[in-house]
Amino acid sequence: MARSKEFDVDTVLLKAMRLFWSQGYEKTSMKDLVETMGVHKRSMYDTFGDKHALFMQAMERYHETVGATVKARIQDAACPKQAIRAIFDMTIHAGDVRPEGCMIVNTACELSLLDPEAAAKVNNYFAKTEELLRELIEQGQAAGEISKKRDAAQLSQYLFNALTGLRVLVKTTKDKQKLENIIEMTLAVLN
């Protein structure tokens, strides 16, 4: 007779996600995971597989969680230009409620050259972000609030690159004014 789970899978996956996000893949030990998740090692393996499989699931959960937040911020924005600004603002104004930076960018820096599966997920998530920016730029150009003098695809590549850099920089500085200045200069390209 199969035993029922003595823990909520979503809750413990969220705990694992936060730990990986905070420490990275390599620095996070199985002992760290067991202690943080509050589950027995055997239960963790039975539910999630090995450490790598758990990490892949944690990355997916991160993408879903952040994606839902981004979607809500975009819907709350009055116009596409404000929606783009909201995406950038999220990067510098959420450190008090989550680890600094972006788990996907952290993974790109840590594992992309070593782990083809992680690299594929990172590239997929990056492509989705760049596509979202392109869609918002096109909407803003159609509405006349974003200049049409630059190609939307090239602008989205530029903005995505700047956003990725900002996601790294928030891990190294607490100077919010500096980060705000960077956002202002970056988004000036939309005028």
Side-chain angles (χ1 to χ4, degrees):
M1 180 165 149
R3 275 179 47 172
S4 64
K5 297 238 183 287
E6 296 175 6
F7 57 88
D8 181 69
V9 173
D10 290 331
T11 301
V12 296
L13 181 57
L14 184 63
K15 289 177 181 179
M17 178 199 81
R18 288 186 171 278
L19 183 63
F20 282 128
W21 185 0
S22 176
Q23 295 186 175
Y25 179 77
E26 291 296 332
K27 190 172 182 231
T28 302
S29 69
M30 291 302 291
K31 181 179 184 273
D32 294 336
L33 287 164
V34 168
E35 288 175 3
T36 298
M37 295 167 70
V39 299
H40 295 289
K41 194 173 187 178
R42 180 80 254 153
S43 295
M44 187 180 76
Y45 279 114
D46 289 345
T47 304
F48 301 105
D50 63 9
K51 176 183 166 183
H52 189 265
L54 174 59
F55 183 73
M56 293 296 113
Q57 292 172 63
M59 281 182 65
E60 188 66 34
R61 173 55 54 89
Y62 174 86
H63 185 256
E64 292 167 0
T65 303
V66 171
T69 304
V70 168
K71 187 175 182 178
R73 296 273 177 99
I74 288 171
Q75 289 174 343
D76 289 345
C79 60
K81 201 170 183 180
Q82 284 183 0
I84 293 168
R85 174 66 192 228
I87 293 169
F88 277 79
D89 284 344
M90 278 181 56
T91 300
I92 66 172
H93 293 295
D96 53 339
V97 294
R98 63 179 197 208
E100 295 290 354
C102 169
M103 184 177 176
I104 305 304
V105 172
N106 296 349
T107 301
C109 295
E110 180 185 12
L111 296 178
S112 283
L113 296 177
L114 307 171
D115 184 334
E117 187 177 358
K121 276 194 180 292
V122 164
N123 288 328
N124 179 44
Y125 299 149
F126 281 179
K128 287 180 180 182
T129 302
E130 192 175 305
E131 176 66 17
L132 173 62
L133 290 168
R134 186 189 58 75
E135 289 171 2
L136 290 169
I137 291 165
E138 287 174 345
Q139 291 170 14
Q141 286 176 329
E145 69 166 314
I146 295 176
S147 172
K148 291 183 182 181
K149 66 184 174 186
R150 292 185 178 88
D151 177 72
Q154 290 176 346
L155 269 176
S156 68
Q157 292 165 1
Y158 169 77
L159 290 180
F160 175 74
N161 183 64
L163 181 62
T164 302
L166 191 66
R167 288 172 172 167
V168 172
L169 193 57
V170 297
K171 295 175 70 84
T172 65
T173 184
K174 301 293 182 208
D175 186 345
K176 295 288 189 200
Q177 188 57 55
K178 177 180 180 177
L179 298 171
E180 289 284 349
N181 293 343
I182 290 169
I183 292 174
E184 287 301 323
M185 288 300 294
T186 300
L187 297 184
V189 74
L190 299 176
N191 297 329

